């Protein structure tokens, strides 16, 4: 299983970016997917997650500004980020909880994409 994230970049405060993440692998079935971020010197924190049924969860710091979605047919995850703030600057990682057995899953991570918000 491989996860390929893209869409990061440099944007001014108040701007928007859209991140994408494609999960690939033969016959994979993905349960939950999510976005995490890690700023220098900080731990990796959860930003948002979405189940295969479309239920979403957001960190308080991004509620109302970030929107997570997924295309189950394409195993693709998205994060629409609006009203960006300098404190959103971080490396963003996508994750996928993949079924590896009858009742077992394994979490896979993408390589990370840098988001930099200038003030």
């Amino acid at each position: 299983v491989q996860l390929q994230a893209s869409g990061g970049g440099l944007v001014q405060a108040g701007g928007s970016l859209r991140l994408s993440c494609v999960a690939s692998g033969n016959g994979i079935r993905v349960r939950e997917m999510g976005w995490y971020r890690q700023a220098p010197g900080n731990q990796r924190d959860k930003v948002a997650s979405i189940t295969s049924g479309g239920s979403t969860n957001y960190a308080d710091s991004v509620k109302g500004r970030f929107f997570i979605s997924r295309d189950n047919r394409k195993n693709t995850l998205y994060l629409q980020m609006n009203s960006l703030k300098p404190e959103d600057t971080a490396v963003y990682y996508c994750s996928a909880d993949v079924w590896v057995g009858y009742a077992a899953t394994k979490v896979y991570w993408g390589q990370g994409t840098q988001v930099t918000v200038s003030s």
Side-chain angles (χ1 to χ4, degrees), residues 19-96:
L19 305 183
S20 299
C21 175
V22 180
S24 60
N26 288 332
I28 62 169
R29 294 182 301 127
V30 182
R31 195 171 69 110
E32 184 170 295
M33 302 184 80
W35 289 100
Y36 291 71
R37 67 186 181 187
Q38 187 170 19
N42 291 355
Q43 64 183 17
R44 187 175 297 186
D45 293 323
K46 187 175 182 179
V47 174
S49 63
I50 183 169
T51 67
S52 57
S55 296
T56 59
N57 184 269
Y58 294 93
D60 287 342
S61 59
V62 306
K63 282 181 180 177
R65 299 188 298 122
F66 291 10
F67 300 94
I68 190 170
S69 61
R70 64 188 282 180
D71 183 333
N72 289 333
R73 292 180 303 169
K74 298 179 180 179
N75 283 329
T76 301
L77 178 70
Y78 304 98
L79 185 68
Q80 178 66 43
M81 304 186 294
N82 301 324
S83 302
L84 282 160
K85 304 175 181 180
E87 51 263 44
D88 294 319
T89 295
V91 178
Y92 283 70
Y93 298 90
C94 58
S95 70

Side-chain angles (χ1 to χ4, degrees), residues 88-112:
D88 294 319
T89 295
V91 178
Y92 283 70
Y93 298 90
C94 58
S95 70
D97 196 20
V98 180
W99 292 101
V100 294
Y102 178 71
T105 61
K106 180 178 179 179
V107 178
Y108 292 86
W109 293 91
Q111 83 284 9

